[in-house]
Amino acid sequence: MQKNDAQYQKMIKTSIPRLVLSLSVPTMLTMLVSSIYNVADTYFVSKLGTQTSGAVGIVFSLMAMIQAVGFTVGMGAGSTISRLLGEKDNQKAQQTASCALGVSLASGIALSAAGLLFLEKLMSLLGATKTILPYAVEYARYILYVAPVMTVSFVLNNLLRAEGKTKLSMIGIGCGSILNIGLDPLFIFVFDWGIQGAAVATAVSQCISCVILFSFFFWKKTILHFSVKNISKDISLYKEFIGNGIPSFFRQGLSAVASVALNHVASCYGDAAVAAMSIVGKIFMMIYCVLIGFGQGYQPVVGYNYGAKEYGRVRQAYRFMMIAGTVGMTVIGAGLFFFAPELVAQFVPEDAEVAEIGNWALRMQCIVMPLLPLGIACNMTFQAVGKSVKATLFASCRQGFFFLPLILVFPRIFGVFAMEAAQPAADVATFLVCLPAMHKFMGKMQKM
């Protein structure tokens, strides 16, 4: 109880900038290391050829699907638990944690079985061309083997963040990602396993991360603990945290659908376009994941303080998120814009077509980076306070309502340029939708 009370006081008394930074910096570092691993994975595999680079982009869509399930359960349970801890309902928080772990394991097993059963058809559906397909199948098989481990890891990670233990989350995810970066060149080049080596490296690192994350709960370094006795038969409990996770499902699920749509459109322009958009996607995700990490540190602050009825602190957290996020994205976007050619050239230096498509796509994305923090803040705020319908709608804007129509329609009319500009245009539209919604909600918080 003393540990619980100390954490509660920390979440509702610590100054907002200090609290948000203390929770978000470890999460941002975790996301950065994970995204660096993704970029490194693409970099090492790209040395094997354009087709293998394209295969990484195809399998990235599959991993986004697995993430969609893991984040639905993990972030849904996390946002629910943050409010429960803010309300001091620790018993229900423990039940929610145990139920979420069980659901994540069962869903991961189901994903693994279904994916392995229809592996080649799935890779073709995700956009693999005939020349890319063999490499995509080889890579995806190992990812599907560890799908249950991945879904469990996503839940454990989000539960740690929900109670404010972001440093432990950073250790678990960070160790696995660093291990993966080290194993990639070893398995790919030294053992001469090719793209299979990259897949094995990912599978091994995911298992190590899961073991480390679970050990924190096993050795009772957390408020939350798992017990079979806490697995509830009350359907309303599952509805609550899965309902809170639906925005994450739409955010991640639509990201996977968008990635598939992009692969299909890019394949119309050849393997070079698929490889270029895959490379740009990994570079951009490295930055976007850091912003998401900042938002994930912001989210439990909002959830705790909203549950404790500290509405002024909710407004303070939002203002800090917007100022720090906008300044950070402006600086990073400017740097990436000027060094875009050098970055893209690191992956496939011999392919001029890949470089040309990649440079344009990356630079256009950099121009709209200062607009991105509002979309993250909007989605995570409504999810943190339990307004799952609004959170779902805003989570669906960027990759769903805006990107999918843009990528499916306009490249047929305007060609490659429309493919490159689709994501930046979707980001601008998302900003314009989220701005009045957050202004209205924060005005309500001021009155309350």
Side-chain angles (χ1 to χ4, degrees):
M1 287 300 297
Q2 287 179 344
K3 185 190 295 184
N4 295 357
D5 289 338
Q7 187 67 15
Y8 178 84
Q9 292 300 319
K10 172 188 173 183
M11 296 297 287
I12 67 165
K13 296 295 184 183
T14 306
S15 70
I16 288 296
R18 180 181 174 188
L19 180 60
V20 173
L21 287 174
S22 70
L23 297 180
S24 62
V25 168
T27 309
M28 290 165 65
L29 290 173
T30 301
M31 298 295 284
L32 179 61
V33 172
S34 297
S35 56
I36 288 173
Y37 135 67
N38 280 320
V39 173
D41 199 46
T42 303
Y43 174 78
F44 290 123
V45 171
S46 70
K47 301 305 177 185
L48 301 174
T50 300
Q51 284 70 36
T52 55
S53 294
V56 173
I58 300 300
V59 178
F60 183 73
S61 302
L62 172 64
M63 296 178 72
M65 292 178 179
I66 298 171
Q67 287 177 342
V69 174
F71 277 135
T72 299
V73 181
M75 293 192 74
S79 64
T80 301
I81 287 168
S82 288
R83 290 196 307 279
L84 290 171
L85 294 175
E87 296 166 2
K88 294 192 173 183
D89 190 348
N90 294 327
Q91 177 56 37
K92 190 174 180 181
Q94 302 288 356
Q95 285 185 318
T96 301
S98 295
C99 293
L101 183 66
V103 171
S104 68
L105 180 60
S107 58
I109 292 171
L111 282 172
S112 179
L116 289 168
L117 188 61
F118 302 103
L119 184 53
E120 286 198 20
K121 291 182 179 179
L122 178 60
M123 291 300 101
S124 297
L125 183 64
L126 294 181
T129 63
K130 289 183 179 180
T131 50
I132 290 175
L133 182 61
Y135 301 103
V137 167
E138 190 173 5
Y139 198 142
R141 182 176 287 109
Y142 289 90
I143 300 302
L144 287 167
Y145 287 155
V146 294
V149 175
M150 293 173 69
T151 53
V152 168
S153 292
F154 289 133
V155 170
L156 295 176
N157 178 35
N158 280 284
L159 294 182
L160 287 171
R161 290 193 307 99
E163 60 175 84
K165 300 295 177 63
T166 53
K167 290 182 181 178
L168 298 182
S169 169
M170 176 184 69
I171 293 170
I173 300 297
C175 286
S177 298
I178 293 170
L179 177 64
N180 202 332
I181 294 171
L183 291 178
D184 263 341
L186 178 67
F187 289 171
I188 295 171
F189 304 117
V190 178
F191 290 1
D192 198 24
W193 289 354
I195 195 170
Q196 181 181 345
V200 174
T202 299
V204 170
S205 65
Q206 289 289 338
C207 292
I208 297 298
S209 277
C210 189
V211 170
I212 294 172
L213 289 169
F214 191 78
S215 70
F216 297 135
F217 295 91
F218 182 80
W219 296 110
K220 298 185 177 179
K221 295 182 179 294
T222 58
I223 296 171
L224 300 170
H225 306 295
F226 304 116
S227 171
V228 175
K229 295 178 181 178
N230 280 332
I231 296 179
S232 175
K233 296 179 181 179
D234 184 2
I235 300 299
S236 63
L237 187 147
Y238 294 89
K239 285 183 177 179
E240 183 177 1
F241 75 78
I242 291 176
N244 284 333
I246 290 298
S248 298
F249 178 79
F250 274 82
R251 184 170 57 244
Q252 294 297 132
L254 286 170
S255 178
V257 173
S259 180
V260 173
L262 179 59
N263 289 333
H264 278 285
V265 171
S267 67
C268 297
Y269 303 103
D271 289 353
V274 177
M277 297 310 293
S278 173
I279 290 166
V280 170
K282 291 298 180 71
I283 293 173
F284 173 70
M285 281 305 295
M286 183 170 66
I287 307 305
Y288 192 65
C289 281
V290 174
L291 181 60
I292 292 175
F294 189 38
Q296 289 177 343
Y298 157 82
Q299 189 176 42
V301 176
V302 173
Y304 249 99
N305 285 279
Y306 187 85
K309 302 187 185 327
E310 296 284 347
Y311 303 121
R313 288 174 60 81
V314 173
R315 283 172 52 82
Q316 291 174 37
Y318 170 69
R319 283 198 301 269
F320 181 72
M321 165 79 181
M322 287 306 302
I323 293 170
T326 303
V327 171
M329 287 296 101
T330 301
V331 173
I332 294 171
L336 279 179
F337 183 91
F338 289 110
F339 292 103
E342 288 78 8
L343 280 171
V344 175
Q346 295 299 313
F347 293 87
V348 191
E350 299 86 6
D351 198 320
E353 188 178 1
V354 172
E356 183 180 1
I357 295 173
N359 290 341
W360 275 102
L362 182 56
R363 279 183 160 168
M364 282 190 281
Q365 190 64 68
C366 291
I367 292 171
V368 301
M369 275 189 183
L371 305 182
L372 298 178
L374 180 62
I376 297 293
C378 181
N379 182 214
M380 293 200 170
T381 298
F382 286 117
Q383 189 172 12
V385 302
K387 297 185 182 297
S388 56
V389 175
K390 286 186 177 181
T392 300
L393 289 174
F394 290 116
S396 303
C397 284
R398 183 174 185 262
Q399 300 294 70
F401 297 149
F402 299 126
F403 179 77
L404 285 177
L406 287 169
I407 196 65
L408 293 175
V409 175
F410 285 94
R412 298 181 181 182
I413 304 170
F414 301 107
V416 175
F417 175 78
M419 176 187 72
E420 297 165 340
Q423 188 64 74
D427 290 336
V428 172
T430 302
F431 175 85
L432 295 175
V433 169
C434 292
L435 186 61
M438 286 307 296
H439 180 73
K440 181 179 179 180
F441 179 74
M442 288 300 155
K444 183 180 178 181
M445 289 293 96
Q446 186 175 21
K447 294 177 181 178
M448 292 172 65

